[in-house]
């Protein structure tokens, strides 16, 4: 349990951090915040530097406590833009507290978790070594992270990584996420001419939308992805993972409502974690304004993402896609992330479960891999086998990425305790 | 042949007309121009009125010369918007003449033809009766024309109609177009939810683009339209039409270049006139800006036009489409026009051919129906069997709808002669 003084100190630092804008999309306050963070880490006795990445800097910290094991703590100090500003009840960087809830951009995603982990570190007396990697570009897609990590392999080596933090579910249970789905994001463009032509020419000219639809049909048939080898490398669901999935209990109707969709494609919500997808994020061609305009457009463009399950390789799938499309469309690659899945029997996961139970007096919700992505693959590429996303301050009503982002301060203090217990537990299990 | 005085008078009136802006899209100058036109027609002895349509007015004229036959002359006094303004070498309503070419918005489409026909009428001494219907909304899709014509059936009855005017082809030959393709323009929308959701939900939510693609595939397979009964009513190509098509000689490579497309779907250019199509004019869904955004969009929308050949019925095809789609998408109808084809043996066509030969000393190019549409169906609905589009001042380099719209004055004077010869020839053939 935290003392009143410890809580006051933690809250003071949390509020200070929240009052530093750090919007990666615009660059607002990024350097200032990085500098504030480095100073705070130095104050805690962490050997800290601001590191150039080619984009927004990384704040890196290192502590050698003399043990055999090193934990890499990954968070990000950047936040999403604040618009629509007029929907906020308090200015987004005022960090106003009302009824023990703090309202601020970044309160949940990701400044609360970052501070909680640092405060927990400042209490920790064991021999576990620490590395802190605090990124400034997570909200714009971790543009330079993989390049930076690749370049500083030696510096970043560790036995385990704890990622951003998974927060609490709607029932207040801490979530532990053992991995992530991978991603391949591409943009395909079909161009059939220099300019749109009158649609009276439809009998004799190619329509790029029909051509694109032909390609899309050949990639996905509504059920299965038809790219050669797409399903070949998928890691079978083993008994441990099966057990986790069986415990995963959510009501499809709750999910449907929370997403605001009219119907679910399936009531098997577990497919979020186990089924790779081929999704269309956007498509555009021709005239899309009011009324009618009769043209055969000159090009059509689609953006699509493939979400991949553990052991699918985005690079292999990209080359299968390129072979498949040949010169029928121009392909632009806009993102690739490897899927990751850490064993539920690994020490990092066991330590996370044990410490969560101790702090929350409740069984954590364990998810074999998130449905979305985090840059876990970057760390998996370093050869690190134990990567987990857990310890969070947010709940589904924390409005991450939305107006009135907020965190209940009790959840912030609990996260400090969870991090503290986890550090000790992880040290113990590795003895 | 026109006298010097006649030419001067015609040119004066043409320039005056061009200097009156009449942009139907914005309404700029519409009332003024209609009023100028009515005054000019009155000056020529035509019983003229400005008629309310619910939108921009129609200018209607009537002349009883005591004969048995009545010719309805259809043109439009409205023009396209002028943008991009900075690409014009002269202000678009200055009607500047350089090297015997007049530059102005509307010079070719459609003010030159309208004036040529009126000037020709002023010289005509026969007993053919005339009705003039000059529309103010052609460039915005003849929004109120069909309603207006339907409402004034009696007033508008005639034996033959000459439409807007077909102009000259690239070789300077006058074009005579016996009909038009029909059109059904619809917008389909598939909505799957209230808002876009994160694409990590792709395994469990419907993607409206994939759903829309399923529908589009079921409508058109890349070769044939699959709507029930779509091809059933098509009028067979008879011997006369076949002969016309055989004479139609254009180089596919010239067409390809003029359209700016990389490849033609077929070298059979005649398919422009004989093949009904299912074209996509535009499609949009989700995120289409720079970079990547990972969402499952909440809706997808497509605009599409079916171009129909004589005797397909847009109403029948619409109900087949509605039956086909059921509740899978929302359908909005944005345009319907009937296909029309006048017999090459009709008097209006014979008179047009004979008079063209006399004026241009060259065989006209006769096309069984245009690849695009004109509101001919509106007049066919009155029971008028002889409808033809011919007598024009423009060439393919006249830049209709584009900056620097222009007409060579020799072509303007020839059009006056052609109209004059046609009136006399049509009277003669009907004796």
């Amino acid at each position: 349990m935290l003392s009143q003084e410890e809580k006051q100190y933690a809250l003071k630092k949390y509020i200070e951090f929240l009052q530093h804008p750090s919007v990666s999309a615009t660059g607002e306050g990024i350097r200032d915040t990085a500098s504030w963070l480095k100073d705070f880490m130095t104050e805690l006795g962490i050997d800290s530097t601001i590191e150039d990445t080619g984009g927004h800097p990384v704040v890196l910290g290192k502590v050698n406590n003399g043990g055999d094991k090193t934990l890499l703590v990954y968070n990000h100090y950047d936040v999403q833009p604040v618009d629509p500003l007029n929907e906020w009840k308090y200015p987004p960087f005022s960090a106003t507290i009302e009824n023990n809830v703090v309202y601020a951009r970044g309160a949940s995603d990701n400044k609360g978790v970052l501070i909680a982990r640092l405060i927990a570190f400042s209490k920790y007396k064991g021999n576990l070594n620490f590395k802190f990697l605090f990124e400034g570009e997570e909200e714009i897609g971790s543009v330079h992270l993989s390049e930076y990590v690749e370049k500083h392999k030696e510096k970043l080596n560790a036995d385990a990584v704890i990622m951003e933090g998974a927060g609490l579910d709607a029932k207040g249970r801490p979530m532990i996420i053992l991995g992530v789905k991978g991603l391949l994001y591409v943009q395909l463009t079909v161009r059939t001419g220099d300019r749109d032509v009158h649609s009276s020419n439809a009998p004799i000219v190619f329509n790029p939308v029909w051509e694109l639809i032909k390609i899309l049909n050949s990639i996905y048939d509504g059920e299965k992805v038809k790219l050669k080898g797409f399903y070949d490398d998928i890691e079978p669901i083993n008994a441990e993972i099966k057990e986790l999935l069986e415990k995963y209990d959510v009501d499809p109707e709750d999910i449907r409502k929370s997403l605001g969709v009219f119907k679910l494609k399936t009531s098997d919500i577990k497919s979020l974690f186990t089924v790779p997808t081929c999704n269309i994020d956007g498509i555009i061609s021709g005239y899309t304004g009011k009324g009618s305009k009769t043209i055969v457009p000159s090009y059509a463009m689609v953006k699509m993402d493939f979400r991949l399950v553990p052991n699918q390789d985005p690079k292999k799938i990209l080359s299968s896609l390129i072979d498949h499309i040949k010169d029928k469309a121009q392909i632009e690659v806009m993102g690739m992330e490897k899927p990751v899945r850490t064993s539920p029997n690994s020490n990092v996961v066991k330590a996370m479960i044990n410490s969560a139970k101790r702090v929350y007096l409740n069984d954590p919700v364990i998810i074999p891999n998130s449905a979305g992505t985090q840059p876990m693959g970057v760390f998996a590429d370093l050869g690190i086998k134990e990567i987990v996303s857990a310890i969070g301050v947010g709940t589904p009503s924390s409005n991450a990425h939305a107006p009135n982002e907020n965190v209940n301060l009790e959840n912030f203090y609990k996260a400090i305790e969870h991090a503290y217990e986890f550090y000790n537990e992880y040290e113990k299990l590795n003895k």
Side-chain angles (χ1 to χ4, degrees), chain A residues 332-346:
Chain A
E332 197 177 335
V333 181
M334 316 199 86
M336 270 208 273
E337 305 211 44
K338 268 175 107 165
V340 172
R341 190 182 283 153
T342 295
S343 164
N345 289 324
S346 59

Side-chain angles (χ1 to χ4, degrees), chain A residues 189-308:
Chain A
T189 308
V190 172
R191 187 171 269 287
T192 51
D194 295 327
R195 57 183 182 274
D196 301 343
V197 300
H198 194 279
S199 78
S200 60
N201 295 294
I204 61 166
V205 303
F206 288 100
N207 185 306
V209 185
W210 287 121
E211 297 307 306
L212 184 59
I213 287 176
K214 249 188 249 171
I215 295 170
L216 291 171
N217 282 330
S218 77
I219 293 174
Y220 181 64
D221 67 7
E223 293 279 333
K224 290 277 169 192
V225 177
K226 290 153 83 181
L227 296 178
K228 213 179 149 196
F230 184 80
Y231 295 97
D232 288 1
D233 298 332
I234 293 177
E235 188 179 290
I237 303 287
N238 63 24
E240 296 161 355
I241 300 296
K242 216 178 153 191
E243 206 192 315
L244 287 185
L245 288 171
E246 276 162 10
K247 280 191 198 149
Y248 185 74
D249 60 331
V250 292
D251 178 1
E253 182 56 14
D254 286 348
I255 297 278
R256 187 195 67 71
K257 277 189 206 151
S258 72
L259 293 173
V261 298
F262 305 144
K263 237 195 289 188
L264 288 180
K265 200 159 70 175
T266 171
S267 60
D268 176 19
I269 304 301
K270 296 175 183 78
S271 61
L272 283 172
F273 315 119
T274 57
V275 173
T277 51
C278 171
N279 175 59
I280 293 176
D281 302 276
I283 187 167
I284 191 163
S285 179
Y287 181 72
T288 59
K290 280 203 173 176
S292 62
K293 187 175 178 188
T294 44
I295 53 170
V296 181
S298 58
Y299 75 94
M301 184 273 279
V302 70
K303 288 178 193 267
M304 56 200 308
D305 69 67
F306 298 86
R307 300 248 172 208
L308 309 176

Side-chain angles (χ1 to χ4, degrees), chain A residues 166-175 246-252 254-255 360-365 394-398 411 414:
Chain A
L168 309 169
D169 78 352
K171 296 175 186 161
R173 298 174 297 185
M175 312 232 298
E246 276 162 10
K247 280 191 198 149
Y248 185 74
D249 60 331
V250 292
D251 178 1
D254 286 348
I255 297 278
Y360 291 92
L361 309 171
N362 210 337
D363 275 347
V365 178
T395 67
S397 55
S398 280
N411 290 333
K414 278 257 196 288

Side-chain angles (χ1 to χ4, degrees), chain A residues 339-382:
Chain A
V340 172
R341 190 182 283 153
T342 295
S343 164
N345 289 324
S346 59
N347 281 341
V348 76
V349 174
K350 283 187 192 160
M352 204 53 98
I353 296 172
N354 295 348
S355 55
K357 283 183 181 172
R358 210 172 300 148
V359 174
Y360 291 92
L361 309 171
N362 210 337
D363 275 347
V365 178
I366 306 168
I367 295 171
N369 52 261
S370 69
T373 54
Q374 281 186 44
M376 281 197 187
V378 168
F379 301 105
D381 279 341
L382 294 181

Side-chain angles (χ1 to χ4, degrees), chain A residues 116 120 360 391-393 410-420:
Chain A
Y360 291 92
I391 309 176
V393 300
E410 289 315 312
N411 290 333
F412 171 61
Y413 302 134
K414 278 257 196 288
I416 299 173
E417 288 179 50
H418 188 189
Y420 177 75

